[in-house]
Amino acid sequence: VLDCTNFPESCNNDCYGIYGPPRLPSSLTWDQPSSSVERNRRRGSGCTMSNGLSACNANSGVSPYNNDGPTCDEYPYASTSQGGMAGATLRCMSRSDNSAEGGHLRGNLYRKPIANGGCGNVAPCSFTVAVDMNTIGNSYISYQSSQKTQQG
């Protein structure tokens, strides 16, 4: 379960990407990319400019980014094989919000043991992002590792 209490800006971006006009894929595959692959995906999505700076740098000094950012959040995530696509949803937000969602995904999905419903740090690992529209501020992630699929 991805509880959006600690990263509402990131969850808002995910929700818009899935249910908004872009209708981006909700089924994603974490492929354990290297940092250079993630960097290239952020560039491909438009979050990072060709000079390596965040597309959100123009917001420096503007509330709420003046003390905590700005950073660019992309959906689909750069950590998935669907990341880096043209037409990704982008949102400028506080660094703490963006980092909180990434940390949550790493700790509660990518690295979580397979026996406990995670990826077990083994790629590829497919999962589906679903947002419960009846629960304000919460988003639910369900996922199934490829290992579980192969085992039945």
Side-chain angles (χ1 to χ4, degrees):
V1 175
L2 181 59
D3 181 352
C4 296
T5 304
N6 294 323
F7 36 91
E9 297 170 89
S10 297
C11 284
N12 183 302
N13 193 43
D14 299 348
C15 185
Y16 182 78
I18 296 166
Y19 299 107
R23 296 281 187 193
L24 297 169
S26 60
S27 295
L28 304 176
T29 303
W30 174 67
D31 57 357
Q32 204 167 13
S34 66
S35 56
S36 64
V37 168
E38 281 196 41
R39 199 170 27 255
N40 287 335
R41 288 177 180 167
R42 285 190 183 91
R43 187 171 289 128
S45 72
C47 247
T48 304
M49 299 181 293
S50 59
N51 62 6
L53 296 176
S54 169
C56 297
N57 277 349
N59 289 324
S60 289
V62 178
S63 180
Y65 312 109
N66 49 351
N67 295 320
D68 188 22
T71 62
C72 182
D73 181 59
E74 75 287 333
Y75 183 88
Y77 314 126
S79 58
T80 65
S81 58
Q82 294 77 16
M85 63 184 345
T89 59
L90 308 177
R91 182 179 172 109
C92 296
M93 64 183 59
S94 64
R95 184 176 316 280
S96 59
D97 188 289
N98 200 354
S99 296
E101 184 186 37
H104 186 84
L105 287 169
R106 279 188 302 280
N108 294 290
L109 176 59
Y110 305 153
R111 295 179 184 157
K112 187 175 183 178
I114 295 169
N116 296 334
C119 297
N121 214 28
V122 177
C125 180
S126 298
F127 60 98
T128 301
V129 179
V131 178
D132 180 352
M133 302 306 262
N134 296 315
T135 309
I136 297 173
N138 287 316
S139 173
Y140 296 90
I141 265 193
S142 60
Y143 44 87
Q144 181 175 18
S145 72
S146 57
Q147 292 82 1
K148 284 186 179 179
T149 303
Q150 292 169 357
Q151 294 171 358

